């Protein structure tokens, strides 16, 4: 994408210089591809923004207006739900920004969606009886109120839940419809300690879990409830940074049109 600096001639469109790559970023092939590009994070999550900044990326934040109303039951594999939601978020933001300012369209839109599942997939956990039939994995939404938050935590207490984040990337190409979508998902297991009901009630009263899927925040006071995390800890917080950066490298290597328009 071309842009003009402050000395642009009359009649030319003056665009802002874009660079989301911070000085401390590891300069991998995928990260180098982002230099000078307009990169958008389609999320208002401070946790996702902070995770990306920790690893050297500071994209523009443009929250998606997509209403997360996809039916859970419409997905044969529940792991497809966060990927589909992330894809809708990314496409909504990309198409909106292109309509608003086609001369300064995004080079890359990043969207993510994290869900908590009631129990692990068969074979994913080493917990005794983990492979026993447990029925369909259900998605744990945000608690309705404190009583619902306590119910969730009592169900999770002493057990294992699965956290899945879908990440979708949208970038421009010359072929219709004018963009490509590439997605990944990351899965982590969260092992709850055998917490006393008194501790669970104290956590619920803190209010931290009310706005969190599954009713807990592993990076906050909710960490007191957790025995261990198996897999990417950042994924449980809300964004699988390690897999994301590896994915960028893979796209740079295998997709000839990745960030070339």
């Amino acid at each position: 994408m071309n842009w003009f600096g402050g000395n642009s001639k009359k009649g030319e469109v003056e665009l802002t210089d874009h660079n989301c790559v911070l000085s401390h970023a590891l300069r991998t092939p995928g990260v180098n591809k982002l230099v000078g590009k307009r990169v958008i994070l389609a999320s208002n999550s401070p946790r996702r923004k902070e995770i990306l900044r920790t690893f050297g990326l500071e994209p523009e934040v443009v929250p998606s207006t997509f209403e997360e109303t996809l039916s859970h039951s419409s997905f044969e594999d529940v792991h497809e739900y966060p990927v589909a939601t992330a894809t809708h978020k990314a496409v909504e933001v990309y198409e909106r920004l292109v309509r608003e300012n086609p001369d300064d369209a995004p080079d890359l839109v990043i969207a993510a969606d994290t869900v908590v599942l009631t129990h692990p997939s068969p074979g994913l956990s080493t917990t005794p009886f983990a492979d026993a039939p447990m029925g369909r994995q259900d998605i744990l939404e945000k608690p309705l109120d404190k009583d619902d938050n306590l119910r969730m935590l009592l169900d999770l207490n002493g057990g294992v839940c699965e956290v899945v984040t879908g990440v979708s990337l949208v970038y421009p190409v010359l072929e219709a419809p004018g963009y490509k979508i590439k997605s990944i998902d990351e899965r982590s297991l969260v092992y709850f300690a055998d917490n006393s009901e008194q501790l669970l009630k104290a956590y619920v009263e803190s209010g931290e879990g009310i706005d969190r899927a599954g009713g807990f925040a592993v990076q906050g006071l909710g960490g007191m409830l957790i025995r261990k995390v198996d897999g990417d800890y950042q994924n449980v917080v809300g964004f699988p940074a390690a897999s994301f950066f590896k994915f960028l490298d893979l796209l740079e290597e295998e997709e000839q049109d990745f960030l070339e328009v």
Side-chain angles (χ1 to χ4, degrees), residues 28-96:
T28 61
V31 169
N32 284 335
K33 200 78 173 180
L34 302 182
V35 174
K37 303 295 186 180
R38 187 182 184 197
V39 180
I40 307 295
L41 175 62
S43 170
N44 204 29
S45 165
R47 296 172 294 280
R48 291 188 179 121
K49 181 179 178 181
E50 183 57 31
I51 289 171
L52 285 171
R53 199 179 196 289
T54 296
F55 293 99
L57 291 188
E58 193 167 40
E60 296 177 50
V61 174
V62 180
S64 173
T65 60
F66 172 71
E67 295 184 9
E68 299 178 31
T69 55
L70 299 178
S71 171
H72 300 170
S73 61
S74 65
F75 296 90
E76 183 174 348
D77 181 355
V78 72
H79 298 87
E80 296 174 359
Y81 172 84
V83 174
T85 300
T87 298
H88 280 286
K89 290 179 180 179
V91 169
E92 186 279 321
V93 168
Y94 181 84
E95 291 182 339
R96 171 158 47 101

Side-chain angles (χ1 to χ4, degrees), residues 24-257:
H24 66 276
L26 299 179
R27 301 303 289 266
T28 61
V31 169
N32 284 335
K33 200 78 173 180
L34 302 182
V35 174
K37 303 295 186 180
R38 187 182 184 197
V39 180
I40 307 295
L41 175 62
S43 170
N44 204 29
S45 165
R47 296 172 294 280
R48 291 188 179 121
K49 181 179 178 181
E50 183 57 31
I51 289 171
L52 285 171
R53 199 179 196 289
T54 296
F55 293 99
L57 291 188
E58 193 167 40
E60 296 177 50
V61 174
V62 180
S64 173
T65 60
F66 172 71
E67 295 184 9
E68 299 178 31
T69 55
L70 299 178
S71 171
H72 300 170
S73 61
S74 65
F75 296 90
E76 183 174 348
D77 181 355
V78 72
H79 298 87
E80 296 174 359
Y81 172 84
V83 174
T85 300
T87 298
H88 280 286
K89 290 179 180 179
V91 169
E92 186 279 321
V93 168
Y94 181 84
E95 291 182 339
R96 171 158 47 101
L97 293 179
V98 169
R99 286 195 307 269
E100 290 176 353
N101 190 355
D103 292 318
D104 193 22
D107 294 294
L108 181 68
V109 174
I110 305 164
D113 186 61
T114 301
V115 299
V116 178
L117 305 180
T118 47
H119 54 272
S121 304
L124 195 60
S125 173
T126 57
T127 301
F129 312 114
D131 289 332
M134 300 183 70
R136 177 183 171 87
Q137 290 175 288
D138 292 322
I139 294 175
L140 294 176
E141 303 282 6
K142 297 176 183 179
L144 299 173
D145 50 32
K146 288 184 177 181
D147 288 341
D148 195 36
N149 197 173
L150 181 59
R151 178 195 61 78
M152 284 184 177
L153 294 178
L154 287 170
D155 287 344
L156 293 170
N157 199 36
V160 189
C161 66
E162 184 178 351
V163 178
V164 185
T165 300
V167 177
S168 290
L169 308 181
V170 173
Y171 59 91
V173 294
L174 297 177
E175 298 82 11
Y179 57 81
K180 270 190 179 180
I181 303 166
K182 296 292 182 178
S183 303
I184 56 171
D185 72 75
E186 182 72 17
R187 310 175 189 187
S188 303
L189 298 180
V190 177
Y191 292 73
F192 276 73
D194 288 315
N195 301 293
S196 67
E197 188 169 342
Q198 183 179 12
L199 177 59
L200 296 179
K201 287 181 176 178
Y203 180 69
V204 168
E205 286 303 315
S206 76
E208 182 183 76
I210 286 295
D211 193 40
R212 312 299 172 101
F216 67 96
V218 69
Q219 75 279 14
L221 295 171
M224 292 183 64
L225 312 179
I226 307 305
R227 181 166 62 86
K228 71 173 183 175
V229 172
D230 187 359
D232 186 351
Y233 170 84
Q234 303 290 355
N235 181 52
V236 182
V237 177
F239 193 82
S243 293
F244 167 74
F245 284 101
K246 290 176 183 176
F247 191 41
L248 288 181
D249 287 342
L250 182 66
L251 292 175
E252 193 279 333
E253 180 181 354
E254 296 187 354
E255 298 291 325
Q256 293 185 349
D257 53 6

